[in-house]
PDB file of all heavy atoms in Angstrom:
ATOM      1  N   VAL A 809       0.958  11.519 -31.846  1.00 96.00           N
ATOM      2  CA  VAL A 809       2.239  12.189 -32.075  1.00 96.00           C
ATOM      3  C   VAL A 809       2.062  13.699 -31.949  1.00 96.00           C
ATOM      4  O   VAL A 809       1.324  14.313 -32.711  1.00 96.00           O
ATOM      5  CB  VAL A 809       2.800  11.839 -33.477  1.00 96.00           C
ATOM      6  CG1 VAL A 809       4.123  12.570 -33.719  1.00 96.00           C
ATOM      7  CG2 VAL A 809       3.000  10.335 -33.615  1.00 96.00           C
ATOM      8  N   SER A 810       2.738  14.279 -30.957  1.00 92.00           N
ATOM      9  CA  SER A 810       2.648  15.733 -30.766  1.00 92.00           C
ATOM     10  C   SER A 810       3.681  16.440 -31.630  1.00 92.00           C
ATOM     11  O   SER A 810       3.507  17.592 -31.998  1.00 92.00           O
ATOM     12  CB  SER A 810       2.900  16.086 -29.295  1.00 92.00           C
ATOM     13  OG  SER A 810       4.264  15.842 -28.973  1.00 92.00           O
ATOM     14  N   GLY A 811       4.766  15.733 -31.917  1.00 93.00           N
ATOM     15  CA  GLY A 811       5.873  16.358 -32.639  1.00 93.00           C
ATOM     16  C   GLY A 811       7.083  16.574 -31.743  1.00 93.00           C
ATOM     17  O   GLY A 811       8.160  16.916 -32.209  1.00 93.00           O
ATOM     18  N   GLY A 812       6.905  16.348 -30.427  1.00 93.00           N
ATOM     19  CA  GLY A 812       8.023  16.461 -29.490  1.00 93.00           C
ATOM     20  C   GLY A 812       8.886  15.210 -29.527  1.00 93.00           C
ATOM     21  O   GLY A 812       8.518  14.217 -30.157  1.00 93.00           O
ATOM     22  N   PRO A 813      10.055  15.250 -28.861  1.00 94.00           N
ATOM     23  CA  PRO A 813      11.006  14.126 -28.929  1.00 94.00           C
ATOM     24  C   PRO A 813      10.411  12.789 -28.490  1.00 94.00           C
ATOM     25  O   PRO A 813      10.709  11.757 -29.111  1.00 94.00           O
ATOM     26  CB  PRO A 813      12.131  14.532 -27.978  1.00 94.00           C
ATOM     27  CG  PRO A 813      11.912  15.943 -27.624  1.00 94.00           C
ATOM     28  CD  PRO A 813      10.541  16.347 -28.026  1.00 94.00           C
ATOM     29  N   ASP A 814       9.573  12.772 -27.423  1.00 95.00           N
ATOM     30  CA  ASP A 814       9.036  11.510 -26.916  1.00 95.00           C
ATOM     31  C   ASP A 814       8.217  10.804 -27.984  1.00 95.00           C
ATOM     32  O   ASP A 814       8.435   9.632 -28.293  1.00 95.00           O
ATOM     33  CB  ASP A 814       8.125  11.752 -25.697  1.00 95.00           C
ATOM     34  CG  ASP A 814       8.877  12.348 -24.521  1.00 95.00           C
ATOM     35  OD1 ASP A 814      10.116  12.416 -24.600  1.00 95.00           O
ATOM     36  OD2 ASP A 814       8.220  12.742 -23.551  1.00 95.00           O
ATOM     37  N   SER A 815       7.259  11.540 -28.559  1.00 96.00           N
ATOM     38  CA  SER A 815       6.357  10.878 -29.491  1.00 96.00           C
ATOM     39  C   SER A 815       7.037  10.625 -30.838  1.00 96.00           C
ATOM     40  O   SER A 815       6.727   9.652 -31.522  1.00 96.00           O
ATOM     41  CB  SER A 815       5.065  11.685 -29.662  1.00 96.00           C
ATOM     42  OG  SER A 815       5.335  12.986 -30.126  1.00 96.00           O
ATOM     43  N   VAL A 816       8.002  11.482 -31.194  1.00 97.00           N
ATOM     44  CA  VAL A 816       8.722  11.260 -32.453  1.00 97.00           C
ATOM     45  C   VAL A 816       9.601  10.009 -32.317  1.00 97.00           C
ATOM     46  O   VAL A 816       9.668   9.166 -33.222  1.00 97.00           O
ATOM     47  CB  VAL A 816       9.543  12.511 -32.843  1.00 97.00           C
ATOM     48  CG1 VAL A 816      10.530  12.192 -33.961  1.00 97.00           C
ATOM     49  CG2 VAL A 816       8.600  13.634 -33.267  1.00 97.00           C
ATOM     50  N   CYS A 817      10.246   9.853 -31.177  1.00 97.00           N
ATOM     51  CA  CYS A 817      11.049   8.656 -30.904  1.00 97.00           C
ATOM     52  C   CYS A 817      10.153   7.416 -30.975  1.00 97.00           C
ATOM     53  O   CYS A 817      10.480   6.428 -31.640  1.00 97.00           O
ATOM     54  CB  CYS A 817      11.704   8.790 -29.532  1.00 97.00           C
ATOM     55  SG  CYS A 817      12.431   7.284 -28.886  1.00 97.00           S
ATOM     56  N   LEU A 818       9.009   7.484 -30.293  1.00 97.00           N
ATOM     57  CA  LEU A 818       8.070   6.357 -30.303  1.00 97.00           C
ATOM     58  C   LEU A 818       7.655   6.004 -31.728  1.00 97.00           C
ATOM     59  O   LEU A 818       7.700   4.841 -32.144  1.00 97.00           O
ATOM     60  CB  LEU A 818       6.820   6.738 -29.489  1.00 97.00           C
ATOM     61  CG  LEU A 818       5.628   5.781 -29.611  1.00 97.00           C
ATOM     62  CD1 LEU A 818       5.931   4.463 -28.924  1.00 97.00           C
ATOM     63  CD2 LEU A 818       4.363   6.411 -29.008  1.00 97.00           C
ATOM     64  N   LEU A 819       7.272   7.022 -32.495  1.00 98.00           N
ATOM     65  CA  LEU A 819       6.792   6.778 -33.858  1.00 98.00           C
ATOM     66  C   LEU A 819       7.882   6.139 -34.704  1.00 98.00           C
ATOM     67  O   LEU A 819       7.643   5.174 -35.438  1.00 98.00           O
ATOM     68  CB  LEU A 819       6.343   8.115 -34.484  1.00 98.00           C
ATOM     69  CG  LEU A 819       5.956   8.019 -35.960  1.00 98.00           C
ATOM     70  CD1 LEU A 819       4.729   7.124 -36.135  1.00 98.00           C
ATOM     71  CD2 LEU A 819       5.682   9.413 -36.541  1.00 98.00           C
ATOM     72  N   HIS A 820       9.096   6.670 -34.573  1.00 97.00           N
ATOM     73  CA  HIS A 820      10.188   6.138 -35.388  1.00 97.00           C
ATOM     74  C   HIS A 820      10.479   4.682 -35.023  1.00 97.00           C
ATOM     75  O   HIS A 820      10.645   3.829 -35.898  1.00 97.00           O
ATOM     76  CB  HIS A 820      11.434   7.001 -35.214  1.00 97.00           C
ATOM     77  CG  HIS A 820      12.515   6.665 -36.197  1.00 97.00           C
ATOM     78  ND1 HIS A 820      13.485   5.740 -35.919  1.00 97.00           N
ATOM     79  CD2 HIS A 820      12.744   7.084 -37.465  1.00 97.00           C
ATOM     80  CE1 HIS A 820      14.284   5.617 -36.971  1.00 97.00           C
ATOM     81  NE2 HIS A 820      13.852   6.438 -37.923  1.00 97.00           N
ATOM     82  N   LEU A 821      10.510   4.406 -33.724  1.00 97.00           N
ATOM     83  CA  LEU A 821      10.738   3.028 -33.270  1.00 97.00           C
ATOM     84  C   LEU A 821       9.664   2.096 -33.833  1.00 97.00           C
ATOM     85  O   LEU A 821       9.971   1.026 -34.370  1.00 97.00           O
ATOM     86  CB  LEU A 821      10.688   2.967 -31.736  1.00 97.00           C
ATOM     87  CG  LEU A 821      11.957   3.389 -31.005  1.00 97.00           C
ATOM     88  CD1 LEU A 821      11.657   3.636 -29.528  1.00 97.00           C
ATOM     89  CD2 LEU A 821      13.024   2.296 -31.145  1.00 97.00           C
ATOM     90  N   LEU A 822       8.416   2.519 -33.712  1.00 98.00           N
ATOM     91  CA  LEU A 822       7.323   1.656 -34.187  1.00 98.00           C
ATOM     92  C   LEU A 822       7.413   1.468 -35.693  1.00 98.00           C
ATOM     93  O   LEU A 822       7.144   0.383 -36.204  1.00 98.00           O
ATOM     94  CB  LEU A 822       5.964   2.250 -33.796  1.00 98.00           C
ATOM     95  CG  LEU A 822       5.654   2.270 -32.288  1.00 98.00           C
ATOM     96  CD1 LEU A 822       4.295   2.905 -32.037  1.00 98.00           C
ATOM     97  CD2 LEU A 822       5.697   0.852 -31.710  1.00 98.00           C
ATOM     98  N   SER A 823       7.818   2.530 -36.416  1.00 97.00           N
ATOM     99  CA  SER A 823       7.876   2.396 -37.871  1.00 97.00           C
ATOM    100  C   SER A 823       8.963   1.404 -38.278  1.00 97.00           C
ATOM    101  O   SER A 823       8.806   0.660 -39.235  1.00 97.00           O
ATOM    102  CB  SER A 823       8.090   3.767 -38.526  1.00 97.00           C
ATOM    103  OG  SER A 823       9.440   4.174 -38.361  1.00 97.00           O
ATOM    104  N   THR A 824      10.080   1.369 -37.515  1.00 96.00           N
ATOM    105  CA  THR A 824      11.148   0.427 -37.874  1.00 96.00           C
ATOM    106  C   THR A 824      10.816  -1.000 -37.423  1.00 96.00           C
ATOM    107  O   THR A 824      11.416  -1.951 -37.897  1.00 96.00           O
ATOM    108  CB  THR A 824      12.500   0.813 -37.241  1.00 96.00           C
ATOM    109  OG1 THR A 824      12.369   0.739 -35.818  1.00 96.00           O
ATOM    110  CG2 THR A 824      12.913   2.217 -37.641  1.00 96.00           C
ATOM    111  N   LEU A 825       9.867  -1.114 -36.484  1.00 97.00           N
ATOM    112  CA  LEU A 825       9.553  -2.447 -35.950  1.00 97.00           C
ATOM    113  C   LEU A 825       8.238  -2.998 -36.472  1.00 97.00           C
ATOM    114  O   LEU A 825       7.868  -4.122 -36.138  1.00 97.00           O
ATOM    115  CB  LEU A 825       9.480  -2.386 -34.411  1.00 97.00           C
ATOM    116  CG  LEU A 825      10.794  -2.096 -33.675  1.00 97.00           C
ATOM    117  CD1 LEU A 825      10.529  -1.825 -32.204  1.00 97.00           C
ATOM    118  CD2 LEU A 825      11.749  -3.285 -33.841  1.00 97.00           C
ATOM    119  N   LYS A 826       7.526  -2.207 -37.272  1.00 96.00           N
ATOM    120  CA  LYS A 826       6.142  -2.600 -37.576  1.00 96.00           C
ATOM    121  C   LYS A 826       6.053  -3.914 -38.344  1.00 96.00           C
ATOM    122  O   LYS A 826       5.132  -4.713 -38.094  1.00 96.00           O
ATOM    123  CB  LYS A 826       5.384  -1.472 -38.278  1.00 96.00           C
ATOM    124  CG  LYS A 826       5.786  -1.131 -39.693  1.00 96.00           C
ATOM    125  CD  LYS A 826       4.837  -0.035 -40.200  1.00 96.00           C
ATOM    126  CE  LYS A 826       4.881   0.134 -41.705  1.00 96.00           C
ATOM    127  NZ  LYS A 826       6.203   0.569 -42.217  1.00 96.00           N
ATOM    128  N   ASP A 827       7.017  -4.180 -39.223  1.00 96.00           N
ATOM    129  CA  ASP A 827       6.947  -5.451 -39.958  1.00 96.00           C
ATOM    130  C   ASP A 827       7.240  -6.619 -39.025  1.00 96.00           C
ATOM    131  O   ASP A 827       6.513  -7.606 -38.977  1.00 96.00           O
ATOM    132  CB  ASP A 827       7.927  -5.432 -41.132  1.00 96.00           C
ATOM    133  CG  ASP A 827       7.512  -4.386 -42.170  1.00 96.00           C
ATOM    134  OD1 ASP A 827       6.298  -4.039 -42.190  1.00 96.00           O
ATOM    135  OD2 ASP A 827       8.387  -3.884 -42.903  1.00 96.00           O
ATOM    136  N   GLU A 828       8.307  -6.442 -38.232  1.00 95.00           N
ATOM    137  CA  GLU A 828       8.711  -7.487 -37.292  1.00 95.00           C
ATOM    138  C   GLU A 828       7.588  -7.820 -36.308  1.00 95.00           C
ATOM    139  O   GLU A 828       7.383  -8.987 -35.941  1.00 95.00           O
ATOM    140  CB  GLU A 828       9.938  -6.996 -36.532  1.00 95.00           C
ATOM    141  CG  GLU A 828      10.556  -8.029 -35.625  1.00 95.00           C
ATOM    142  CD  GLU A 828      11.887  -7.523 -35.063  1.00 95.00           C
ATOM    143  OE1 GLU A 828      12.417  -6.499 -35.549  1.00 95.00           O
ATOM    144  OE2 GLU A 828      12.400  -8.164 -34.126  1.00 95.00           O
ATOM    145  N   LEU A 829       6.840  -6.802 -35.881  1.00 96.00           N
ATOM    146  CA  LEU A 829       5.800  -7.014 -34.872  1.00 96.00           C
ATOM    147  C   LEU A 829       4.402  -7.115 -35.483  1.00 96.00           C
ATOM    148  O   LEU A 829       3.410  -7.253 -34.759  1.00 96.00           O
ATOM    149  CB  LEU A 829       5.826  -5.874 -33.834  1.00 96.00           C
ATOM    150  CG  LEU A 829       7.096  -5.773 -32.971  1.00 96.00           C
ATOM    151  CD1 LEU A 829       7.080  -4.495 -32.140  1.00 96.00           C
ATOM    152  CD2 LEU A 829       7.209  -6.994 -32.056  1.00 96.00           C
ATOM    153  N   GLY A 830       4.330  -7.014 -36.810  1.00 97.00           N
ATOM    154  CA  GLY A 830       3.027  -7.126 -37.477  1.00 97.00           C
ATOM    155  C   GLY A 830       2.060  -6.003 -37.128  1.00 97.00           C
ATOM    156  O   GLY A 830       0.844  -6.199 -37.074  1.00 97.00           O
ATOM    157  N   LEU A 831       2.597  -4.816 -36.888  1.00 97.00           N
ATOM    158  CA  LEU A 831       1.739  -3.704 -36.465  1.00 97.00           C
ATOM    159  C   LEU A 831       1.206  -2.924 -37.666  1.00 97.00           C
ATOM    160  O   LEU A 831       1.896  -2.768 -38.673  1.00 97.00           O
ATOM    161  CB  LEU A 831       2.523  -2.742 -35.572  1.00 97.00           C
ATOM    162  CG  LEU A 831       3.175  -3.330 -34.316  1.00 97.00           C
ATOM    163  CD1 LEU A 831       4.037  -2.289 -33.627  1.00 97.00           C
ATOM    164  CD2 LEU A 831       2.096  -3.870 -33.376  1.00 97.00           C
ATOM    165  N   THR A 832      -0.034  -2.453 -37.563  1.00 97.00           N
ATOM    166  CA  THR A 832      -0.571  -1.507 -38.530  1.00 97.00           C
ATOM    167  C   THR A 832      -0.673  -0.159 -37.817  1.00 97.00           C
ATOM    168  O   THR A 832      -1.333  -0.049 -36.789  1.00 97.00           O
ATOM    169  CB  THR A 832      -1.972  -1.935 -38.990  1.00 97.00           C
ATOM    170  OG1 THR A 832      -1.894  -3.305 -39.419  1.00 97.00           O
ATOM    171  CG2 THR A 832      -2.460  -1.068 -40.133  1.00 97.00           C
ATOM    172  N   LEU A 833       0.027   0.841 -38.363  1.00 98.00           N
ATOM    173  CA  LEU A 833       0.117   2.124 -37.656  1.00 98.00           C
ATOM    174  C   LEU A 833      -0.720   3.199 -38.338  1.00 98.00           C
ATOM    175  O   LEU A 833      -0.850   3.227 -39.567  1.00 98.00           O
ATOM    176  CB  LEU A 833       1.574   2.596 -37.610  1.00 98.00           C
ATOM    177  CG  LEU A 833       2.597   1.622 -37.018  1.00 98.00           C
ATOM    178  CD1 LEU A 833       4.003   2.220 -37.119  1.00 98.00           C
ATOM    179  CD2 LEU A 833       2.248   1.299 -35.572  1.00 98.00           C
ATOM    180  N   HIS A 834      -1.258   4.081 -37.517  1.00 98.00           N
ATOM    181  CA  HIS A 834      -1.931   5.263 -38.039  1.00 98.00           C
ATOM    182  C   HIS A 834      -1.611   6.413 -37.085  1.00 98.00           C
ATOM    183  O   HIS A 834      -1.843   6.311 -35.882  1.00 98.00           O
ATOM    184  CB  HIS A 834      -3.453   5.026 -38.108  1.00 98.00           C
ATOM    185  CG  HIS A 834      -4.163   6.116 -38.838  1.00 98.00           C
ATOM    186  ND1 HIS A 834      -4.621   6.000 -40.142  1.00 98.00           N
ATOM    187  CD2 HIS A 834      -4.482   7.381 -38.454  1.00 98.00           C
ATOM    188  CE1 HIS A 834      -5.187   7.123 -40.525  1.00 98.00           C
ATOM    189  NE2 HIS A 834      -5.125   7.984 -39.516  1.00 98.00           N
ATOM    190  N   ILE A 835      -1.056   7.479 -37.637  1.00 98.00           N
ATOM    191  CA  ILE A 835      -0.654   8.602 -36.792  1.00 98.00           C
ATOM    192  C   ILE A 835      -1.837   9.538 -36.566  1.00 98.00           C
ATOM    193  O   ILE A 835      -2.630   9.781 -37.476  1.00 98.00           O
ATOM    194  CB  ILE A 835       0.491   9.390 -37.471  1.00 98.00           C
ATOM    195  CG1 ILE A 835       1.702   8.467 -37.684  1.00 98.00           C
ATOM    196  CG2 ILE A 835       0.877  10.630 -36.667  1.00 98.00           C
ATOM    197  CD1 ILE A 835       2.764   9.061 -38.585  1.00 98.00           C
ATOM    198  N   ALA A 836      -1.955  10.048 -35.343  1.00 97.00           N
ATOM    199  CA  ALA A 836      -2.974  11.057 -35.055  1.00 97.00           C
ATOM    200  C   ALA A 836      -2.306  12.261 -34.422  1.00 97.00           C
ATOM    201  O   ALA A 836      -1.503  12.116 -33.487  1.00 97.00           O
ATOM    202  CB  ALA A 836      -4.027  10.478 -34.122  1.00 97.00           C
ATOM    203  N   HIS A 837      -2.618  13.438 -34.943  1.00 96.00           N
ATOM    204  CA  HIS A 837      -2.077  14.671 -34.359  1.00 96.00           C
ATOM    205  C   HIS A 837      -3.193  15.697 -34.301  1.00 96.00           C
ATOM    206  O   HIS A 837      -3.932  15.887 -35.266  1.00 96.00           O
ATOM    207  CB  HIS A 837      -0.921  15.203 -35.205  1.00 96.00           C
ATOM    208  CG  HIS A 837      -0.421  16.549 -34.749  1.00 96.00           C
ATOM    209  ND1 HIS A 837       0.568  16.694 -33.801  1.00 96.00           N
ATOM    210  CD2 HIS A 837      -0.805  17.813 -35.081  1.00 96.00           C
ATOM    211  CE1 HIS A 837       0.781  17.985 -33.588  1.00 96.00           C
ATOM    212  NE2 HIS A 837      -0.051  18.691 -34.354  1.00 96.00           N
ATOM    213  N   LEU A 838      -3.319  16.342 -33.186  1.00 93.00           N
ATOM    214  CA  LEU A 838      -4.361  17.349 -33.048  1.00 93.00           C
ATOM    215  C   LEU A 838      -3.745  18.741 -33.085  1.00 93.00           C
ATOM    216  O   LEU A 838      -2.826  19.049 -32.327  1.00 93.00           O
ATOM    217  CB  LEU A 838      -5.105  17.166 -31.714  1.00 93.00           C
ATOM    218  CG  LEU A 838      -6.286  18.122 -31.511  1.00 93.00           C
ATOM    219  CD1 LEU A 838      -7.431  17.780 -32.452  1.00 93.00           C
ATOM    220  CD2 LEU A 838      -6.763  18.094 -30.068  1.00 93.00           C
ATOM    221  N   ASP A 839      -4.250  19.561 -33.989  1.00 90.00           N
ATOM    222  CA  ASP A 839      -3.836  20.970 -34.011  1.00 90.00           C
ATOM    223  C   ASP A 839      -4.792  21.727 -33.091  1.00 90.00           C
ATOM    224  O   ASP A 839      -5.956  21.918 -33.397  1.00 90.00           O
ATOM    225  CB  ASP A 839      -3.904  21.501 -35.452  1.00 90.00           C
ATOM    226  CG  ASP A 839      -3.451  22.954 -35.532  1.00 90.00           C
ATOM    227  OD1 ASP A 839      -3.231  23.571 -34.472  1.00 90.00           O
ATOM    228  OD2 ASP A 839      -3.318  23.461 -36.654  1.00 90.00           O
ATOM    229  N   HIS A 840      -4.248  22.136 -31.932  1.00 83.00           N
ATOM    230  CA  HIS A 840      -5.081  22.748 -30.887  1.00 83.00           C
ATOM    231  C   HIS A 840      -5.467  24.180 -31.164  1.00 83.00           C
ATOM    232  O   HIS A 840      -6.268  24.755 -30.441  1.00 83.00           O
ATOM    233  CB  HIS A 840      -4.300  22.789 -29.558  1.00 83.00           C
ATOM    234  CG  HIS A 840      -3.940  21.459 -29.016  1.00 83.00           C
ATOM    235  ND1 HIS A 840      -2.829  20.792 -29.405  1.00 83.00           N
ATOM    236  CD2 HIS A 840      -4.558  20.679 -28.101  1.00 83.00           C
ATOM    237  CE1 HIS A 840      -2.747  19.644 -28.725  1.00 83.00           C
ATOM    238  NE2 HIS A 840      -3.791  19.548 -27.948  1.00 83.00           N
ATOM    239  N   HIS A 841      -4.814  24.796 -32.145  1.00 80.00           N
ATOM    240  CA  HIS A 841      -5.033  26.233 -32.406  1.00 80.00           C
ATOM    241  C   HIS A 841      -4.734  27.083 -31.185  1.00 80.00           C
ATOM    242  O   HIS A 841      -5.356  28.117 -30.999  1.00 80.00           O
ATOM    243  CB  HIS A 841      -6.496  26.496 -32.829  1.00 80.00           C
ATOM    244  CG  HIS A 841      -6.834  25.838 -34.123  1.00 80.00           C
ATOM    245  ND1 HIS A 841      -6.250  26.204 -35.319  1.00 80.00           N
ATOM    246  CD2 HIS A 841      -7.701  24.836 -34.396  1.00 80.00           C
ATOM    247  CE1 HIS A 841      -6.750  25.438 -36.290  1.00 80.00           C
ATOM    248  NE2 HIS A 841      -7.622  24.598 -35.762  1.00 80.00           N
ATOM    249  N   LEU A 842      -3.828  26.622 -30.344  1.00 77.00           N
ATOM    250  CA  LEU A 842      -3.603  27.399 -29.113  1.00 77.00           C
ATOM    251  C   LEU A 842      -2.434  28.352 -29.258  1.00 77.00           C
ATOM    252  O   LEU A 842      -2.333  29.328 -28.541  1.00 77.00           O
ATOM    253  CB  LEU A 842      -3.362  26.466 -27.915  1.00 77.00           C
ATOM    254  CG  LEU A 842      -4.633  25.892 -27.303  1.00 77.00           C
ATOM    255  CD1 LEU A 842      -4.284  24.897 -26.213  1.00 77.00           C
ATOM    256  CD2 LEU A 842      -5.514  27.009 -26.729  1.00 77.00           C
ATOM    257  N   ARG A 843      -1.518  28.004 -30.175  1.00 76.00           N
ATOM    258  CA  ARG A 843      -0.364  28.891 -30.306  1.00 76.00           C
ATOM    259  C   ARG A 843      -0.184  29.318 -31.762  1.00 76.00           C
ATOM    260  O   ARG A 843       0.931  29.399 -32.267  1.00 76.00           O
ATOM    261  CB  ARG A 843       0.872  28.183 -29.790  1.00 76.00           C
ATOM    262  CG  ARG A 843       0.828  27.937 -28.271  1.00 76.00           C
ATOM    263  CD  ARG A 843       1.875  26.943 -27.880  1.00 76.00           C
ATOM    264  NE  ARG A 843       1.751  25.769 -28.751  1.00 76.00           N
ATOM    265  CZ  ARG A 843       2.767  25.152 -29.332  1.00 76.00           C
ATOM    266  NH1 ARG A 843       3.990  25.545 -29.132  1.00 76.00           N
ATOM    267  NH2 ARG A 843       2.551  24.114 -30.130  1.00 76.00           N
TER     268      ARG A 843
END
Side-chain angles (χ1 to χ4, degrees):
Chain A
V809 179
S810 69
D814 297 351
S815 58
V816 167
C817 167
L818 169 70
L819 174 64
H820 190 269
L821 279 165
L822 293 179
S823 75
T824 63
L825 293 170
K826 70 177 196 297
D827 294 337
E828 186 172 348
L829 295 172
L831 303 174
T832 308
L833 305 177
H834 189 103
I835 300 168
H837 174 89
L838 184 70
D839 181 352
H840 297 85
H841 296 294
L842 279 175
R843 293 165 309 135

